[in-house]
Each structure stands twice: as C-alpha cells, then as structure tokens.
Amino acid sequence: MDGLDFSDETVLVKALVARDPDAFGFLVDRYHAPLIRLAQQYVPSRAVADEVVQDTWLAVIEGIDRFEQRSSVKTWLYRILINVARSRGVKETRTIPFAATAVLEDEPAVDPHRFPRFTRRGRGQWKQPPQPWGDPEQRALDAETFDVLGVAIEQLPPDQREVLTMRDVLGWTASETCDALSVTDANQRVLLHRARAKLRTALESHYDQGRHQ
C-alpha cells in the first residue's frame, strides 16, 4: 500500500483494518510521544507510562475492526489510552477520577487569555515566560520556570490537570477534549480556566520571590 495518504481518515482506517504496517507506523510516529505525556498524568513513573502506551497500541491492533468511525482515529486512540491509564492508575494508587457531572464549586480565577494556549507549531512545549530576562541568565531561569510549572501542574486537582494537559500541553481543541473525556463544553472551559489561573498564580509568586531576593 505504498503511496497512501494516511492523513485521510478513510484511507488510514482502511489501511489499519488491512493490518498495513505503514499505517500503524504512521500512528506511532504521530501519537506515541503525546500518548506518553498524557499517560504520565495518571501513573507515577515514566516506566509505567511506557507500559500504558504499549497496552494502548495492543488495544488498537485488537480493536481496529470494531472502530465505527463515529469519532476521529485520534479521539478513539486517546479514549483507549485514557481508559487504560485510569485503570492502571488505580493499581498504581494514582488515578484521575473525572466525573462529567461533577459540581464545579466557585473559586477565584484570572482571565485565561493571560495564559494563552499553544500554537500548532509549539504543541507539546511551554511558551516563553511572560517576563523577559537577560540572555546570560535565560537558560537557568527557563529551567527554573519549567520546574515551577511542573510542580504547579502536579498540585492541580486531577480533573483540572487532565483538561490542561490536553488543551495546553497536547494542543487539543475544546471539541476534541470534550469528545475524548465525555464532558460538556462548559465544564471543560471552567476547568481549563481554573487550571490556567493556578499556574499563572504560581508563576507570579515565583517572579515576586525572585524580585525580593
């Protein structure tokens, strides 16, 4: 099946059903790294995340004949990953119990436009910090900022961390996120707004501490 355009969903699904290794290679090349990043939000180590993703690929191979194309291949793939990761997260004592009908309590937040989502080119990477620094110090400060953000993400409520990872780390659209998590658009917007606000607060606190040292 050389020369097939796997960016065409219909072509891709037909090739996957036919067990075309190039089609599976296309999926792995495009999604393996993002799947690892998402899996790490559910389990305590990279090694376990690798196992979760391997189980996901096996499930894709075993289940492709039952794929009805009611959603995109991407969404279907991530739904499998989420189910596998949640199950494994329970066993590893770290899980994200997300309820689409959960009551969203009031809490203070800031304008989410102050913490914009990533462009397509920058998917999977954090943007430059909002405060510019001099070149000699840039690398050290960038690494420090990544550490601050990493800690802040870990401290987010599980449901907020899940939505933030999909929207701002993986670069998903609101529609894709809602579809994969089976949540309403209103819920995902509120959760994302609150998660971004908390990260912004963590960054501002970090900057304030640096200015007073």
Side-chain angles (χ1 to χ4, degrees):
M1 294 189 181
D2 293 338
L4 294 179
D5 180 11
F6 294 134
S7 63
D8 183 319
E9 286 268 310
T10 301
V11 172
L12 177 60
V13 172
K14 287 181 178 179
L16 290 171
V17 171
R19 301 299 191 270
D20 181 355
D22 290 337
F24 283 103
F26 174 84
L27 280 186
V28 172
D29 289 344
R30 174 168 289 194
Y31 295 118
H32 188 81
L35 287 171
I36 290 288
R37 286 197 293 272
L38 183 57
Q40 286 180 291
Q41 302 304 313
Y42 296 85
V43 296
S45 72
R46 169 59 189 262
V48 178
D50 285 336
E51 293 176 4
V52 166
V53 175
Q54 291 301 323
D55 288 346
T56 298
W57 289 124
L58 289 174
V60 168
I61 293 171
E62 293 170 357
I64 186 61
D65 291 327
R66 298 187 298 275
F67 178 53
E68 299 178 348
Q69 292 186 267
R70 295 179 181 176
S71 62
S72 67
V73 171
K74 173 183 175 180
T75 299
W76 176 68
L77 174 61
Y78 275 86
R79 280 178 177 165
I80 293 173
L81 181 281
I82 290 167
N83 288 335
V84 173
R86 282 175 172 167
S87 176
R88 187 61 181 267
V90 170
K91 295 178 183 178
E92 299 290 338
T93 70
R94 179 182 174 192
T95 185
I96 297 183
F98 192 95
T101 57
V103 176
L104 299 176
E105 288 139 3
D106 292 334
E107 60 181 72
V110 297
D111 186 349
H113 293 296
R114 294 179 65 193
F115 198 77
R117 69 187 295 275
F118 307 117
T119 61
R120 181 175 295 275
R121 176 175 293 181
R123 285 181 177 178
Q125 303 176 16
W126 290 105
K127 282 191 172 182
Q128 290 292 323
Q131 298 290 337
W133 292 298
D135 289 339
E137 302 177 357
Q138 189 68 49
R139 289 187 180 179
L141 289 171
D142 281 350
E144 195 173 298
T145 300
F146 293 152
D147 289 342
V148 170
L149 288 171
V151 170
I153 290 173
E154 284 294 315
Q155 293 175 345
L156 288 172
D159 48 3
Q160 293 180 17
R161 186 170 67 241
E162 190 170 45
V163 172
L164 180 88
T165 298
M166 287 191 168
R167 291 296 310 277
D168 285 350
V169 178
L170 300 179
W172 284 38
T173 65
S175 177
E176 289 172 331
T177 301
C178 291
D179 195 14
L181 298 176
S182 298
V183 299
T184 66
D185 181 63
N187 269 14
Q188 78 83 26
R189 280 189 286 109
V190 170
L191 291 166
L192 180 63
H193 181 86
R194 291 175 179 174
R196 286 172 170 170
K198 289 173 182 175
L199 264 61
R200 180 71 186 189
T201 298
L203 284 174
E204 290 177 342
S205 176
H206 175 65
Y207 299 150
D208 288 342
Q209 290 176 6
R211 283 195 290 268
H212 289 90
Q213 289 178 354

